[in-house]
């Protein structure tokens, strides 16, 4: 609706500029929903933005615009000081959209993205241990952003980058081999930087169950390869299982090792060398990232010939863009903030100026249990797994809680609140709005009330009904805003507001009146539209909309 009004205003402004015979681009202006409903359904500041170019009083320009408005959804347009335009949308237009929203989500979706190809790469946790609650926030965020972008008209690919190469894999294999030796009563030095969680022993047991003492009789290098293979299968499999339980699916699990196996890393460095962005110094190979604003140049290949992680990361992003990705959104932990500039420099050096590279830094999440924060360390094996959290509080509460705060803020996950089955729990409060609508429909059927949804909507004249109607139709704009800013918490805030409005309406209004079937039908239709908006919004968060609670 706001988009249709904006298009109408753009056309009018373009005509006015041409008529005035002045050189002036269409101004950047806003069409917003006023805080005060007395000011109308929408307010625009376009006349204020044109005042300087037209050399006219903005109120006069606003008045001229009002006379030119000719759109069926606009009931009235009023110029007000100092030059705003207040619009009132016709009730019939609202009624049509509410009627359509009952059975379809088309009014909640947008074509803003124009089918632009976007890759959201998220989680990408090292396959050296189970996912912990910190990974859960990254997973919920990345998946929700992907859902929102799809609803906003983008073509989205979800990808997990599997870090299955480098020193961490050697430490993982040595850790497993050390535990394997423990099982058979032999000694093997546990690596100083090894992984100490109980899950390492679990993998070692699988190795022993399948291989017996054959691994002990192998040479060390061969034994490490066997242990690594089992480790990646077992730990990687548990990661996939946990994410699937969390309703997170990926289109691609991209192996870092494949970049080396196919020669992509060296090919990428050769390309950068031809472009003049890679050079040799002190026996190592360097990327000249200072050319692109980084604070120092970076090593991409060490003196011993080993590639750095940075080298494979550059090759990975080159691979993304070669696959036709137009916007790459990387979701990282906040501790990677120092890595952003160097990778951005590499993307620029490769010549992808026509592609977008974005990094979202997810702040830490702390688990609060019994009023106290629970500390964790992956390497020491002291952490709370994502699977434990899902089993403890459920998928819906976990996803909703992860998403209800700005990703740029650290977040305390209140375990006790998430487990509550009361209105104090925000996810319960929102879901109950949907369940309440379903309950109303059941009660209407029990009382023999028959109605056809979408009829008699003109009877919805209460202030609460008008406010709920307009709130429902805000959802499309919220989706676009959440997509543009990559902020799922905007959907959460919207759902909490809509749920609050509906619960209040439910308590203060008699909805089912068998002796007044027309008004009953209209109010139940409004409730159905609320349920549709809540269901759609929860779906963007990966949260279910139960019919009973």
């Amino acid at each position: 609706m706001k988009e249709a009004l904006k298009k109408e205003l753009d056309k009018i402004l373009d005509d006015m500029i041409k008529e005035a015979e002045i050189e002036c681009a269409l101004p950047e202006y806003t069409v917003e929903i006023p805080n005060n409903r007395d000011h109308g359904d929408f307010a625009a500041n376009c006349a204020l933005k044109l005042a300087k170019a037209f050399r006219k009083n903005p109120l006069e320009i606003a008045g001229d615009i009002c006379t030119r408005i000719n759109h069926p959804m606009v009931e009235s347009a009023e110029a007000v000081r100092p030059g705003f335009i207040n619009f009132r949308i016709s009730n019939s237009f609202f009624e049509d959209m509410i009627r359509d929203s009952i059975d379809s989500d088309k009014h909640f979706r947008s074509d803003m993205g124009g089918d632009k190809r976007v890759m959201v790469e998220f989680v990408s946790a090292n396959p050296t241990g189970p996912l912990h609650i910190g990974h859960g926030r990254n997973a919920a965020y990345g998946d929700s952003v992907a859902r929102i972008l799809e609803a906003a008209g983008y073509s989205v690919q979800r990808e997990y980058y599997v870090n299955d190469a480098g020193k961490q894999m050697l430490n993982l294999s040595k850790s497993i081999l050390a535990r394997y030796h423990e099982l058979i009563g032999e000694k093997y030095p546990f690596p100083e930087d090894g992984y100490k969680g109980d899950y390492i022993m679990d993998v070692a047991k699988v190795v022993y169950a399948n291989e017996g003492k054959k691994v002990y009789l192998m040479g060390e290098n061969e034994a490490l390869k066997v242990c690594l293979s089992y480790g990646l299968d077992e730990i990687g499999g548990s990661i996939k299982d946990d994410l699937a339980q969390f309703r997170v699916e990926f289109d691609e699990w991209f192996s870092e090792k494949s970049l080396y196996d196919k020669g992509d890393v060296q090919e990428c460095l050769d390309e950068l060398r031809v472009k003049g962005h890679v050079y040799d110094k002190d026996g190592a190979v360097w990327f000249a990232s200072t050319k692109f604003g980084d604070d120092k140049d970076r090593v991409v290949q060490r003196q011993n010939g080993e590639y750095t992680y940075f080298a494979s990361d550059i090759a990975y992003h080159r691979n993304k863009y070669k696959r036709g990705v137009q916007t790459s959104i990387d979701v990282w932990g906040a501790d990677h903030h120092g890595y952003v500039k160097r990778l951005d420099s590499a993307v620029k050096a490769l010549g992808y100026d026509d592609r977008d590279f974005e990094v979202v830094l997810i702040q830490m999440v702390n688990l609060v249990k019994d009023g106290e924060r629970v500390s964790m360390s992956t390497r020491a094996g002291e952490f709370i797994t994502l699977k434990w959290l899902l089993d403890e509080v459920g998928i819906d509460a976990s996803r909703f809680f992860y998403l209800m705060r700005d990703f740029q803020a650290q977040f305390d996950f209140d375990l006790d609140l998430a487990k509550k089955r009361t209105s104090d729990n925000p996810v319960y409060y929102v879901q109950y709005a949907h369940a309440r609508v379903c309950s109303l429909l059941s009660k209407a059927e029990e009382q023999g009330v028959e109605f056809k949804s979408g009829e008699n909507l003109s009877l919805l004249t209460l202030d609460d009904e008008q406010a709920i109607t307009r709130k429902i139709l805000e959802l499309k704009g919220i989706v676009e805003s959440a997509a543009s800013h990559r902020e799922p918490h905007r959907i959460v805030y919207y759902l909490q507001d809509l749920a609050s409005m509906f619960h209040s309406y439910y308590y203060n209004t008699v909805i089912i009146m068998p002796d007044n079937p027309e008004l009953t039908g209209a109010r139940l239709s409004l409730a159905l539209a609320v349920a549709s908006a809540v269901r759609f919004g929860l779906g963007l968060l990966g949260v279910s909309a139960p019919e009973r609670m």
Side-chain angles (χ1 to χ4, degrees), residues 37-66:
R37 271 202 61 206
D38 291 338
H39 295 164
D41 297 306
F42 293 102
N45 65 348
C46 49
L48 292 164
K49 299 292 184 178
L50 280 176
K52 184 176 180 180
F54 275 49
R55 296 182 180 178
K56 282 186 177 181
N57 185 314
L59 190 60
E60 181 182 348
I61 298 172
D64 188 7
I65 294 172
C66 289

Side-chain angles (χ1 to χ4, degrees), residues 406-433:
D406 187 340
F407 66 86
Q408 299 179 78
Q410 289 196 21
F411 169 54
D412 286 346
F413 192 116
D414 189 332
L415 186 66
D416 299 318
L417 179 60
K419 293 169 70 173
K420 284 187 176 181
R421 300 280 294 173
T422 69
S423 59
D424 292 335
N425 183 341
V427 65
Y428 184 92
Y429 187 69
V430 172
Q431 287 180 315
Y432 193 55

Side-chain angles (χ1 to χ4, degrees), residues 14 24 31 72 78 104 125 138 181 186 217 238 296 304 334 344 387 401 407 410 414 419 421 447 528 546:
D14 190 51
C24 174
V31 176
E78 178 187 12
S104 170
N138 187 303
H181 277 79
E186 298 290 341
L217 300 174
S238 73
K296 62 181 179 179
N304 62 3
D344 180 63
K387 179 171 177 50
F401 271 60
F407 66 86
Q410 289 196 21
D414 189 332
K419 293 169 70 173
R421 300 280 294 173
Q447 295 182 35
L528 282 169

Side-chain angles (χ1 to χ4, degrees), residues 31 78 85 173 213 254 294 398 404 443 455 496:
V31 176
E78 178 187 12
I85 304 173
S173 60
K213 289 195 173 183
F254 192 97
D294 198 5
S398 297
M404 68 182 185
K443 289 178 181 177
E455 291 190 347
Q496 289 176 314

